[in-house]
Amino acid sequence: MRPLVACAALVVLAGCGFPSIGGADQDEIDDAAAQTCAEVRSGIAAFNERKYTATIDHFVKAKPFAKRYAELSDEKKADDLLEAVEYYANLPADEYREAFASSRQFQKYKEITLGQCETGTSA
């Protein structure tokens, strides 16, 4: 009977706020979001200076952080940010200016990146 009680106690303790094995804690999620947003903000700054190749470089650097963020977080906003980062990383430099002026996708992802990574915030 004692092994059953010990097992039941472990089950109760497992549900009382201890992190699950393999589960992400909020600090990990926040760090991944912050790393993503740091590169996103740098990419936006490069875009504003019309340095489109540098813009792409920053979004390419942001991809692994954004993937990690999306893997760790259950929130849709993490998946949305990954999608936006991938869009900007894969957009050819010579298409940035026209896409900015006329692409609905560009505008959609602009809202996501600016909304989640505005200056002074991480996500």
Side-chain angles (χ1 to χ4, degrees), residues 4 6 12 24 27 43 46 52 72-73 88 90 96 101 109 113-114 119 122:
L4 181 59
V12 170
D27 286 342
Y52 304 125
L72 293 172
S73 177
Y88 289 126
N90 295 323
Y96 258 83
Y109 295 131
T113 56
L114 290 175
T119 305
S122 62

Side-chain angles (χ1 to χ4, degrees), residues 26-121:
Q26 193 60 48
D27 286 342
E28 288 179 285
I29 295 168
D30 292 345
D31 286 347
Q35 290 172 313
T36 303
C37 284
E39 286 299 334
V40 165
R41 285 190 297 272
S42 294
I44 291 169
F47 173 81
N48 289 336
E49 295 173 6
R50 297 184 180 164
K51 296 178 180 176
Y52 304 125
T53 301
T55 300
I56 294 166
D57 291 343
H58 285 291
F59 280 98
V60 167
K61 289 178 187 175
K63 279 173 75 170
F65 302 128
K67 285 180 183 178
R68 180 88 173 128
Y69 178 39
E71 289 170 359
L72 293 172
S73 177
D74 293 332
E75 293 189 52
K76 184 182 180 315
K77 71 179 188 174
D79 294 327
D80 291 346
L81 187 57
L82 172 59
E83 190 176 312
V85 165
E86 288 179 333
Y87 172 81
Y88 289 126
N90 295 323
L91 186 65
D94 62 346
E95 294 180 23
Y96 258 83
R97 195 171 196 177
E98 184 178 335
F100 173 74
S102 62
S103 171
R104 287 184 186 177
Q105 268 189 313
F106 192 101
Q107 296 307 317
K108 171 187 169 184
Y109 295 131
K110 176 182 161 187
E111 288 177 23
I112 291 168
T113 56
L114 290 175
Q116 291 193 42
C117 298
E118 63 184 282
T119 305
T121 65

